[in-house]
Amino acid sequence: METINLAQKFGLFQEYWSPKIVGELNDSYVKIVKLKGEFVWHQHETEDELFLVVKGTLLIKLRDRDILLHEGEFAIIPKGVEHLPIAEEEAQVLLLEPKSTLNTGNVQDERTVTRPERL
């Protein structure tokens, strides 16, 4: 067992939209990611995804509404729900998701991270 300092871990990287593994819980990874700008519309067919905003603000667009998350707030996007994360300014986000989850879900593009770095 070890203590994870999120501020220290976020200080280890600068790139956006590139999740980093900071822990494991059962069959899930605890990941952190810095977000800025607009991502890509995508969905995860078999996996729910938790977004917890550590710093900043995150807008998650859904096809029927928007979810605005502030520091200390989280939302769970159910499997099969198409979503588009947007961060106008840098946001630091913790993700809790099954180990099989690709960051771009059903979309394969230059932002797809198949093997996230472990910090």
Side-chain angles (χ1 to χ4, degrees):
M1 291 186 295
E2 67 178 292
T3 300
I4 304 297
N5 182 300
L6 291 177
Q8 184 267 336
K9 294 293 187 184
F10 276 112
L12 296 175
F13 65 98
Q14 297 303 316
E15 65 268 28
Y16 296 118
W17 305 106
S18 182
K20 312 294 183 198
I21 299 168
V22 294
E24 294 184 38
L25 177 68
N26 299 318
D27 291 328
S28 295
Y29 283 133
V30 178
K31 298 177 185 174
I32 59 172
V33 62
K34 289 182 179 179
L35 309 177
K36 187 172 182 183
E38 186 172 304
F39 199 46
V40 60
W41 279 103
H42 68 286
Q43 63 182 335
H44 305 277
E45 291 297 328
T46 60
E47 302 124 344
D48 297 332
E49 189 175 27
L50 180 143
F51 291 82
L52 167 65
V53 176
V54 175
K55 186 175 181 182
T57 303
L58 177 63
L59 175 66
I60 301 176
K61 288 188 154 298
L62 307 175
R63 291 299 184 183
D64 62 345
R65 65 186 174 106
D66 294 344
I67 299 171
L68 182 61
L69 298 173
H70 300 280
E71 291 181 17
E73 297 180 331
F74 73 87
I76 299 170
I77 306 300
K79 62 186 170 198
V81 174
E82 199 172 18
H83 56 286
L84 171 68
I86 300 171
E88 299 243 347
E89 301 296 327
E90 179 178 296
Q92 296 179 357
V93 177
L94 182 140
L95 305 169
L96 181 59
E97 54 196 16
K99 292 179 179 178
S100 60
T101 304
L102 279 178
N103 64 323
T104 54
N106 63 326
V107 174
Q108 296 286 317
D109 68 8
E110 68 279 351
R111 289 186 173 172
T112 302
V113 177
T114 57
R115 303 182 90 197
E117 178 183 359
R118 185 180 297 267
L119 298 180

